[in-house]
Amino acid sequence: MVGRIKGNMSDLRTVLRDIGTLFIVVGFVTLIALIVPLYFGEYRPNSSFDAIGGILITSALFFGAGLPLFYVFKNAEPANFKSAMITAALGWLFISLIGSIPFLLIPYNTSTMAHMGLLSAFFESMSGWTGTGLTMVENEGLLPHTLQFWRTLIQWIGGVGVIVLTLSILARPGTGSFVLYKGEARDQKIHPSIISTVRTIWWIFLLYTIIGIISLAIIGSVTNDGMNLWESLNHAMTGIATGGFSVTDDSIAGFGMISQITIIVLMIFGSIAFAAHYNLLKGRIKKFLSDTQFKAILVLIILGVAVLTFINLGIYGNDIFYSLRQSSFQFISAITCTGFASVENLSEWTESAKLMLSFAMVIGGAAGSTAGGIKLFRAVLLYKGVGWRIKRAISTPRRVFVHKFGGKSLSKENVMDLINEAAIISFMWVILLAVGVLLIATLRPSETLGNVIFEVCSAQGNVGLSTGITHINMSPIAKTMLIFNMWIGRLEIIPIVVLIKSMVGIRRNIV
């Protein structure tokens, strides 16, 4: 008993130190947002609209909480698997909570000067940090520039991950860094060193962001229905981060086809693993094209777009080209877990079309990318696992099977471990999805089941597409449920399970 309590206390000190480190880094990142109110003049001292004050208070709270935690517990033990999981779970929760302050203090509507309540602000912040994109805001074009950029910034950072950002800046080599990296639902390594890996991830991410901004701005300058520089900046950042927050009321619907195609490229690139991007940038084209997850998403996009185009023909007056344009953008937005919309009202689509998009949102993008969902890696594993099991069932007992995945031969034990992990995560993902669907359906009995499933899949898949269920006046219980769905979706469930189990264990020891 004494040894268990000491172990828990040691883990607690490690968690508090690492959360303090996260807060310090996010506090510095928050200061970047000050550029916007200074440039656009969005500050009025002693009034209800002081954007600079909202950003400074947020940064001060991050520093005020982070610095004491770091310095008091700086000599704590290196992170282990358990403490890393708890750090990830609590870190994302508290960062989203503190990150809601700008939404509380800065009006979300420049016309009415209305402010969000605490739960709505927390929802908006959680949606941003987790890269979801569901929003409490009805008219995003009426947001102050400061809040527009704050939403963009937290999605851009959250797309790669606050722990990955922290490791790239402050971490030292060691096993503690690796378990923290895994705690944020990542395990792919580009280099043997985890520090080199996270720094490579960030320069790839920054490179694509810059390319996206320049591309959208150039298109906007030569076309009448393109984006201006401000729109290019925000949409490129949330596009490559597969976040989906927009600065316009109709998301991407108001922009021309060339801009939408560019956004499609950004969404797909955001959903591809950074390890595959590294091969592409190093000129290893064959290796990039042979990546299992890359091939899987291409196949799913081709099949999904074809089926959805056929389903939507009736809605678009049998105009196959217009149906293809709308269906392809929305399916790619769904499977990459971005959440941009080229359709003004998705609730008007048929139930089968919404079910197709829900299926895509559940699968999601590649493991090791910025996308959500259960991940293509697990979907492919489960698909192959079913095939292997059927072959074994219909074959002779003496037949020797070779299990290949990603071009590598795996032992039976390794295969079973991988399939079991994929099955467990997927099963828990579906169970929690069902809980969300049942609760929202109970609270919104007037909604069709298709709309409810779509909304919960969007939240837990960290997508952001909506049929209109999510809005600022929705039930507090429904808001809380979707916040929980977004949180567990971003961290892929296990860190939350470890956190809950640890809290129960501590309570039992105290009692």
Side-chain angles (χ1 to χ4, degrees):
M1 175 69 74
V2 174
R4 186 180 300 174
I5 293 174
K6 286 183 177 179
N8 287 333
M9 291 305 296
S10 176
D11 286 341
L12 179 61
R13 286 192 290 269
T14 300
V15 168
L16 292 174
R17 179 203 60 203
D18 291 339
I19 288 178
T21 306
L22 296 180
F23 284 175
I24 292 169
V25 171
V26 176
F28 278 113
V29 170
T30 301
L31 294 175
I32 296 172
L34 287 174
I35 298 170
V36 178
L38 287 171
Y39 180 81
F40 288 101
E42 293 181 338
Y43 53 93
R44 300 172 191 171
N46 303 318
S47 76
S48 60
F49 187 15
D50 181 15
I52 287 182
I55 298 300
L56 285 177
I57 290 171
T58 305
S59 181
L61 278 174
F62 277 123
F63 284 126
L67 289 169
L69 288 175
F70 176 76
Y71 282 108
V72 170
F73 300 107
K74 64 181 179 180
N75 294 321
E77 295 293 321
N80 54 40
F81 178 80
K82 177 182 175 183
S83 67
M85 294 292 117
I86 296 172
T87 297
L90 290 178
W92 279 83
L93 190 65
F94 288 126
I95 284 171
S96 296
L97 185 60
I98 297 174
S100 66
I101 291 172
F103 299 111
L104 278 171
L105 300 182
I106 304 172
Y108 70 91
N109 188 312
T110 54
S111 176
T112 63
M113 301 301 286
H115 289 71
M116 289 185 189
L118 178 58
L119 187 58
S120 294
F122 184 36
F123 184 104
E124 196 78 9
S125 181
M126 179 65 78
S127 182
W129 284 107
T130 58
T132 304
L134 287 173
T135 181
M136 296 284 99
V137 180
E138 185 175 352
N139 301 112
E140 292 169 294
L142 292 178
L143 284 166
H145 292 90
T146 305
L147 279 190
Q148 287 182 341
F149 185 72
W150 178 246
R151 299 195 323 157
T152 294
L153 181 64
I154 62 179
Q155 279 204 331
W156 191 71
I157 298 295
V160 176
V162 290
I163 290 178
V164 172
L165 174 65
T166 301
L167 290 175
S168 67
I169 297 172
L170 296 179
R172 297 176 181 176
T175 55
S177 295
F178 181 64
V179 293
L180 280 170
Y181 180 72
K182 290 193 69 174
E184 205 167 55
R186 294 187 179 277
D187 55 15
Q188 282 195 334
K189 294 175 71 174
I190 298 174
H191 306 290
S193 164
I194 199 64
I195 306 304
S196 297
T197 293
V198 296
R199 287 174 180 167
T200 297
I201 286 173
W202 270 104
W203 77 251
I204 292 173
F205 191 58
L206 183 61
L207 174 65
Y208 286 156
T209 302
I210 293 171
I211 292 173
I213 294 169
I214 294 172
S215 299
L216 289 171
I218 290 173
I219 292 167
S221 67
V222 298
T223 60
N224 295 324
D225 51 6
M227 301 180 188
N228 60 37
L229 184 57
W230 178 249
E231 292 165 342
S232 299
L233 170 70
N234 286 275
H235 289 128
M237 289 176 70
T238 57
I240 196 65
T242 61
F245 272 152
S246 178
V247 295
T248 59
D249 294 343
D250 56 0
S251 189
I252 306 299
F255 300 111
M257 187 169 62
I258 300 176
S259 294
Q260 289 187 4
I261 291 172
T262 305
I263 290 291
I264 285 175
V265 173
L266 284 174
M267 292 191 295
I268 293 175
F269 268 51
S271 68
I272 297 171
F274 283 103
H277 283 303
Y278 184 73
N279 287 327
L280 176 64
L281 293 171
K282 285 291 183 179
R284 304 165 189 161
I285 307 300
K286 187 176 180 180
K287 196 169 183 180
F288 171 75
L289 295 175
S290 64
D291 180 77
T292 301
Q293 295 187 102
F294 175 69
K295 290 190 291 185
I297 198 168
L298 283 186
V299 170
L300 287 173
I301 286 174
I302 292 169
L303 292 176
V305 168
V307 173
L308 194 58
T309 299
F310 175 76
I311 291 173
N312 285 336
L313 270 177
I315 299 176
Y316 297 114
N318 292 320
D319 185 339
I320 190 168
F321 294 106
Y322 192 64
S323 179
L324 175 62
R325 176 179 172 180
Q326 299 289 43
S327 300
S328 59
F329 189 96
Q330 288 310 145
F331 187 83
I332 292 170
S333 181
I335 199 166
T336 61
C337 300
T338 307
F340 283 139
S342 64
V343 178
E344 292 187 9
N345 194 351
L346 280 170
S347 64
E348 295 177 353
W349 279 21
T350 63
E351 295 298 288
S352 55
K354 286 181 284 190
L355 188 62
M356 276 285 298
L357 293 181
S358 299
F359 175 73
M361 292 189 287
V362 168
I363 293 178
S369 71
T370 65
I374 64 171
K375 302 294 190 296
L376 288 163
F377 174 77
R378 296 191 181 100
V380 173
L381 264 176
L382 293 175
Y383 169 78
K384 284 184 171 288
V386 170
W388 290 331
R389 186 66 186 87
I390 293 173
K391 285 181 181 179
R392 187 173 292 278
I394 62 177
S395 299
T396 60
R398 294 183 179 180
R399 182 178 174 183
V400 177
F401 287 89
V402 178
H403 303 94
K404 286 190 174 183
F405 186 80
K408 296 180 180 179
S409 296
L410 302 173
S411 66
K412 182 180 178 181
E413 292 75 17
N414 287 339
V415 166
M416 291 308 300
D417 286 343
L418 287 170
I419 292 175
N420 287 340
E421 190 231 6
I424 290 169
I425 295 292
S426 301
F427 177 74
M428 293 173 68
W429 211 95
V430 172
I431 291 295
L432 292 168
L433 188 73
V435 171
V437 169
L438 287 172
L439 181 60
I440 301 298
T442 302
L443 294 170
R444 297 291 298 268
S446 61
E447 293 287 348
T448 66
L449 183 59
N451 282 353
V452 174
I453 292 173
F454 185 96
E455 206 80 7
V456 179
C457 286
S458 182
Q460 193 163 305
N462 301 134
V463 184
L465 293 172
S466 177
T467 56
I469 292 177
T470 300
H471 58 83
I472 198 164
N473 295 318
M474 71 189 300
S475 162
I477 298 174
K479 287 181 187 177
T480 303
M481 184 71 246
L482 293 183
I483 287 171
F484 182 71
N485 287 125
M486 292 187 286
W487 182 43
I488 62 174
R490 178 61 180 83
L491 294 174
E492 298 185 1
I493 300 171
I494 296 299
I496 287 87
V497 173
V498 173
L499 171 63
I500 294 171
K501 187 175 183 299
S502 299
M503 291 174 67
V504 171
I506 290 173
R507 182 177 179 275
R508 286 175 180 172
N509 290 335
I510 292 174
V511 173

